[in-house]
Amino acid sequence: MAGHNESGKKKSSEAANDLQTFSAENLQNNMKVIYYSQTFLSIVGGVIAGILGFKGLAGFILYFLIMAISSVGLIAKAKFSVHSYFDCWNRIIFDGFFGGLMSFVLFWTFAYDIVHIF
Amino acid sequence: MGLGFLIGAFGVLILAHAAFSTIQYRGLLKILEEEFSGPPVNVIVELLLALSFCMWAALTAAGKFLSVHHHSEENRIVSLPANMDFLIFNHRGKVFSPGTDMRLKH
């Protein structure tokens, strides 16, 4: 279509490019994929923590364990060449870590209440 | 994509079943007047199974990773504006070094 690809798809020369440029829309797509994966896994982890009856620190340890496993899984999904899908390591390791924490705690208390209290 | 959703839904179903089993187990413990120390073994197995299904679904059904490099194989298509009157050259692309070693390929 006329001109709708301008933002991302410039053909840069194969010679050594001083500037690092990225296709921004693809980077956003990758960030969206990570966000969906980690949110879903933190919800599932919250329900599991509630069913198991974890109280206090043990639940948070479970959360960090699940996030670590999901980070490893995402790195494997990117075929271990993180730089061809993201611009730095932080995106795949640190960005989603605390975003899912609130959902985790919400579903943790929800499941704990349903299973153990009512 | 469809298979990922199915496996994710299946994992959530197993999780719900494990929750029901735990609720029944607690009811049983109340009758026997014992303390709840942990869910029974079959519930733990179900939870591990549900976790692995959901993890697989989360990693595969969320979408594909697209390459961010401009010169990778899947980003090869360059489109020019259909109306050549408005084709401009004074844009940010001028900071790229000119490819003086590029030749026309036949």
Side-chain angles (χ1 to χ4, degrees):
Chain A
M1 284 306 299
H4 90 109
N5 282 333
E6 296 142 2
S7 68
K9 309 219 171 157
K10 279 204 272 278
K11 197 172 156 196
S12 64
S13 66
E14 294 295 331
N17 222 344
D18 302 330
L19 296 169
Q20 273 290 20
T21 58
F22 304 101
S23 167
E25 53 182 292
N26 285 356
L27 184 65
Q28 265 190 334
N29 173 67
N30 297 345
M31 301 296 296
K32 191 179 69 163
V33 167
I34 295 183
Y35 179 71
Y36 285 170
S37 298
Q38 289 193 324
T39 305
F40 179 61
L41 279 176
S42 54
I43 289 178
V44 166
V47 174
I48 289 181
I51 291 178
L52 285 173
F54 282 155
K55 289 197 254 228
L57 198 57
F60 290 106
I61 293 180
L62 177 70
Y63 172 71
F64 283 117
L65 197 65
I66 290 185
M67 283 294 122
I69 296 179
S70 83
S71 288
V72 170
L74 285 166
I75 292 177
K77 183 182 166 115
K79 301 189 212 19
F80 296 103
S81 64
V82 169
H83 286 289
S84 60
Y85 298 105
F86 298 95
D87 51 350
C88 63
W89 280 92
N90 291 345
R91 303 220 180 258
I92 206 170
I93 294 185
F94 290 123
D95 270 358
F97 246 63
F98 296 103
L101 189 63
M102 295 296 130
S103 306
F104 173 81
V105 171
L106 176 68
F107 279 87
W108 179 14
T109 45
F110 186 52
Y112 188 89
D113 288 346
I114 287 185
V115 173
H116 296 281
I117 299 184
F118 294 121
Chain B
M1 185 79 154
L3 181 65
F5 278 136
L6 274 180
I7 293 197
F10 193 54
V12 170
L13 277 178
I14 296 181
L15 209 56
H17 181 262
F20 272 128
S21 301
T22 311
I23 293 176
Q24 281 185 326
Y25 178 70
R26 277 191 73 95
L28 180 68
L29 285 186
K30 254 185 228 158
I31 295 177
L32 298 176
E33 292 185 2
E34 289 170 10
E35 284 292 314
F36 177 84
S37 60
V41 174
N42 58 331
V43 166
I44 296 185
V45 167
E46 272 185 26
L47 287 178
L48 282 175
L49 205 61
L51 183 64
S52 55
F53 279 159
C54 288
M55 194 155 301
W56 193 88
L59 291 176
T60 52
K64 277 171 42 83
F65 278 155
L66 300 174
S67 171
V68 290
H69 291 310
H70 295 294
H71 47 80
S72 76
E73 277 313 303
E74 57 198 31
N75 285 347
R76 262 307 187 193
I77 301 185
V78 176
S79 73
L80 296 172
N83 190 353
M84 300 290 278
D85 292 337
F86 295 102
L87 191 60
I88 57 171
F89 297 98
N90 187 21
H91 53 64
R92 293 177 294 175
K94 64 186 170 211
V95 297
F96 285 126
S97 55
T100 46
D101 55 348
M102 287 205 291
R103 295 165 194 280
L104 268 180
K105 291 191 169 54
H106 292 285

